[in-house]
């Protein structure tokens, strides 16, 4: 087994990621890392018992994909805008707007934001009315 870093399968897999989605992967990873650090450092983790600890991961597993989807709206704008129905004007505007809403929803769902300071409603369901 060779110890050469450039020949490792992990580096080759990383280099095979298309440049259009690398920002989505990065946003997902950063959101996941921030959420995990926050979950383990706050007092709720020590107070939760048994399977109740899994509930603490719920907002994180909801927020991290939102960060990736929001970022994709900015990196794959033309592809996202092509999905907007023809009868709706300003396709690029809606692609950027929904991406910004996904990122805003992501910031509200991260465990970093205390529950008492969150808005009454989640900003994400407003998009799907």
């Amino acid at each position: 087994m060779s110890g050469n870093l450039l020949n490792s399968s992990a580096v080759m897999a990383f280099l095979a990621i298309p440049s259009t989605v690398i920002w989505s992967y990065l946003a997902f990873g950063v959101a996941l890392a921030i959420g995990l650090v926050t979950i383990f450092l706050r007092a709720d983790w020590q107070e939760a018992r048994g399977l109740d600890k899994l509930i603490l991961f719920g907002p994180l597993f909801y927020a991290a994909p939102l960060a990736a989807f929001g970022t994709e709206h900015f990196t794959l704008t033309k592809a996202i805008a092509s999905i907007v129905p023809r009868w709706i004007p300003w396709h690029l505007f809606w692609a950027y707007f929904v991406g910004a809403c996904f990122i805003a929803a992501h910031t509200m769902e991260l465990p970093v934001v205390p529950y008492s300071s969150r808005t009454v409603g989640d900003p994400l369901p407003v998009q799907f009315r």
Side-chain angles (χ1 to χ4, degrees), residues 39-56:
I39 286 172
F40 290 123
L41 291 182
R42 69 180 180 194
D44 294 345
W45 178 256
Q46 286 81 19
E47 294 172 3
R49 299 283 177 233
L51 292 177
D52 289 339
K53 290 186 178 191
L54 288 177
I55 294 172
L56 297 175

Side-chain angles (χ1 to χ4, degrees), residues 40-92:
F40 290 123
L41 291 182
R42 69 180 180 194
D44 294 345
W45 178 256
Q46 286 81 19
E47 294 172 3
R49 299 283 177 233
L51 292 177
D52 289 339
K53 290 186 178 191
L54 288 177
I55 294 172
L56 297 175
F57 291 102
L60 175 61
F61 293 150
Y62 185 66
L66 285 177
F69 297 149
T71 306
E72 281 184 348
H73 278 73
F74 290 98
T75 58
L76 300 171
T77 308
K78 298 231 190 255
I80 300 292
S82 70
I83 299 171
V84 177
R86 290 184 184 186
W87 55 271
I88 298 177
W90 311 314
H91 296 200
L92 284 177

Side-chain angles (χ1 to χ4, degrees), residues 24 27-32 34-35 57-71 102-113 118 122 124:
S24 299
F28 180 87
V30 167
L32 191 67
I34 289 171
F57 291 102
L60 175 61
F61 293 150
Y62 185 66
L66 285 177
F69 297 149
T71 306
F102 278 150
I103 292 172
H106 148 264
T107 58
M108 294 305 294
E109 291 298 323
L110 266 181
V112 175
V113 178
R118 290 186 183 173
D122 187 12
L124 185 64

